[in-house]
Amino acid sequence: MTPNRTLTGIPGFQVGHWTHAPARTGCTVILCPPGGAVASASFLGPSPGTREGVLLSPEKKVERVHALLLTGGSAFGLAAAAGVVRVLEERGIGHETPWARVPIVPAAVIYDLGVGDPTVRPGEREGELAARAASADPVARGRVGAGTGATAGKYLGSGAVPGGLGSVLVERHGVQAGALAVVNPIGDVLDEQGGVLAGPGVGPGAVAFTPGDAENTTLVAVVTEHALTKPECRRLADAAQAALARVIHPSHTFWDGDSAFVLSSGARPAADPLLLGALVQEAVCGAVRDAVRAAQAEG
């Protein structure tokens, strides 16, 4: 049996998609183990679209999240998180309070309204469908879920290429990290040798073009079983953002709103932080390239 080399190869995590191919949009849900996962995030760029992003700051009280939503539809797509919350509540999963368990579901969006039908966006029903579809099977990749309308290499103002959704799992010396990326940058995506994998490859400044300030975003989620504190998750989220600079050129521009999340189930002892940090960056680069290659393979 072929091993699962995507994010869901990390035990306890499940992924589900809702896809509307004609409208070029969709959403993707990552479900954590029932007890949740310690999580934090890093947000770079002028216009990140998020839900409960502030809650992930290391100084905030709540440490564990129960799912993560990545979605198209710009700010409209954040409504899909309510459907994920509904599914988790039905299953009795959430942060314990005196009167109810409250599911904690952060979310982040990409802007895909210009590539398909801008009137079709993920909402509560679509988020619910993605959550109910979640499984530990290998992650479906390419133009699927939140990556359905993702594009790259947009700095010329035309000729954007598919970005897609990708996922990998990396392991070294018994330490594992899984990553999932929704690739929607203004810049080019680079291959392992520094060549252009997706995008025009002529570099910004080739023409006078001013892109929209909310139209480009790469979303990354990294998961691990190794125990991490919330501040450690934040430091690894910063490392994940640094990895984007290795694989996207230019990265973190005035027109990108990149979001990176790190989630730890804590099911295994803490790993060597230097090794885990290296694997996080390797996984992020691999997931971004996997997204583009999977999208390109669809023709």
Side-chain angles (χ1 to χ4, degrees), residues 102-181:
V102 180
I104 306 299
V105 183
V109 304
I110 67 165
Y111 186 99
D112 56 6
L113 302 181
V115 298
D117 183 346
T119 68
V120 178
R121 311 121 179 187
E124 184 172 347
R125 175 179 176 274
E126 291 71 29
E128 178 180 347
L129 291 173
R132 295 195 189 283
S135 76
D137 294 337
V139 177
R141 290 120 61 217
R143 299 181 205 177
V144 64
T148 304
T151 52
K154 290 169 278 191
Y155 50 82
L156 296 185
S158 62
V161 298
L165 180 149
S167 184
V168 302
L169 184 151
V170 296
E171 180 176 3
R172 197 173 305 146
H173 305 298
V175 177
Q176 292 183 323
L180 185 151

Side-chain angles (χ1 to χ4, degrees), residues 178-257:
L180 185 151
V182 179
V183 182
N184 192 53
I186 191 171
D188 299 318
V189 176
L190 307 181
D191 64 19
E192 291 82 354
Q193 288 74 45
V196 176
L197 184 62
V202 296
V207 295
F209 171 63
T210 301
D213 64 0
E215 298 175 6
N216 313 283
T217 297
T218 296
L219 310 178
V220 174
V222 180
V223 306
T224 183
E225 286 188 281
H226 299 285
L228 293 168
T229 64
K230 198 174 182 185
E232 288 170 340
C233 286
R234 171 56 189 270
R235 286 194 287 273
L236 288 174
D238 289 339
Q241 292 278 20
L244 290 180
R246 292 165 48 185
V247 72
I248 295 171
H249 179 75
S251 68
H252 304 115
T253 72
F254 290 114
W255 300 280
D256 288 284

Side-chain angles (χ1 to χ4, degrees), residues 14 27 37-38 62 67 74 100 120 150 152 169 176 195 197 263 268 273 275 294:
Q14 301 180 344
C27 61
V38 177
V62 173
S74 189
V120 178
L169 184 151
Q176 292 183 323
L197 184 62
L263 297 82
R268 296 177 62 186
L275 174 57

Side-chain angles (χ1 to χ4, degrees), residues 8 14-18 27-31 129-135 139 145:
T8 48
Q14 301 180 344
V15 171
H17 302 300
W18 174 82
C27 61
T28 297
V29 175
I30 301 172
L31 296 184
L129 291 173
R132 295 195 189 283
S135 76
V139 177

